[in-house]
Amino acid sequence: PMSIFNKVRELFYGRPKKLASNSTRAERGQYGEDLAADYCKRTLGFQVIARNWRYKRDELDIICVDAGVLVFVEVRARAANALVGGYHSIDAHKKRVLQRGSKAYINQLQNPPKHVRFDVIEVSLSDDGEGDVRHYGNVPLFSKHYTTSHESRY
């Protein structure tokens, strides 16, 4: 479940503001996740059901529902001038972590959904503190057993 702090912050501040130029790595990551969650809700029309869901040492950034499909969203915040974009920064190890975490999440649900999907949201952070959001829907991460047959609509 989303923390009370995140809910209150959202209530008071609405959409995340610009990032300070002297921000820490953690602040940039949090800002990227806030922008991504906002984008999921307002732009994609997803229902955000969990943020930063933890299983042992694994963490899932954002978990949503999109038209009955359970969507696991991995957020990759990167400097706009980074050599490797966020989407391409997901290596085999990270994929295993995400698979493990998502299976653990599904296993603890009373009524697991028939369809699950994996999306990536890349947040490109410019020097002036603006975040540019890119959504990659239905990234092939799960085995055929886990994935849905339909393509993402975005």
Side-chain angles (χ1 to χ4, degrees):
M2 203 197 282
S3 78
I4 282 294
F5 175 73
N6 280 345
K7 277 207 163 82
V8 169
R9 185 175 59 193
E10 212 168 78
L11 225 70
F12 282 103
Y13 303 111
R15 198 163 182 274
K17 301 290 181 268
K18 284 170 90 167
L19 195 59
S21 56
N22 62 346
S23 60
T24 64
R25 181 184 160 89
E27 285 168 336
R28 288 192 297 273
Q30 183 63 60
Y31 177 75
E33 281 184 24
D34 288 348
L35 274 185
D38 187 74
Y39 187 84
C40 285
K41 279 190 286 214
R42 293 177 202 246
T43 307
L44 301 175
F46 293 179
Q47 181 192 353
V48 175
I49 54 175
R51 287 183 61 181
N52 307 114
W53 187 84
R54 299 189 79 82
Y55 169 71
K56 295 182 181 171
R57 339 179 283 281
D58 304 337
E59 186 180 63
L60 301 172
D61 293 336
I62 306 173
I63 303 170
C64 302
V65 174
D66 172 29
V69 177
L70 186 64
V71 186
F72 297 102
V73 181
E74 170 67 7
V75 180
R76 306 303 270 185
R78 282 278 182 279
N81 59 2
L83 291 173
V84 178
Y87 178 83
H88 296 288
S89 71
I90 300 176
D91 58 12
H93 168 73
K94 185 65 183 181
K95 284 181 181 173
R96 281 195 303 276
V97 166
L98 296 167
Q99 278 176 322
R100 229 179 13 234
S102 54
K103 284 177 183 177
Y105 183 83
I106 291 163
N107 289 341
Q108 52 94 50
L109 293 176
Q110 303 278 274
N111 304 311
K114 287 187 185 63
H115 302 295
V116 287
R117 192 177 81 219
F118 185 78
D119 290 8
V120 174
I121 290 186
E122 187 178 277
V123 180
S124 198
L125 302 170
S126 63
D127 289 339
D128 63 3
E130 292 287 345
D132 182 39
V133 178
R134 240 195 215 140
H135 173 242
Y136 299 88
N138 209 13
V139 174
L141 177 75
F142 297 103
S143 65
K144 283 286 170 262
H145 172 69
Y146 265 93
T147 194
T148 58
S149 54
H150 69 87
E151 286 298 316
S152 167
R153 293 171 309 191
Y154 303 104

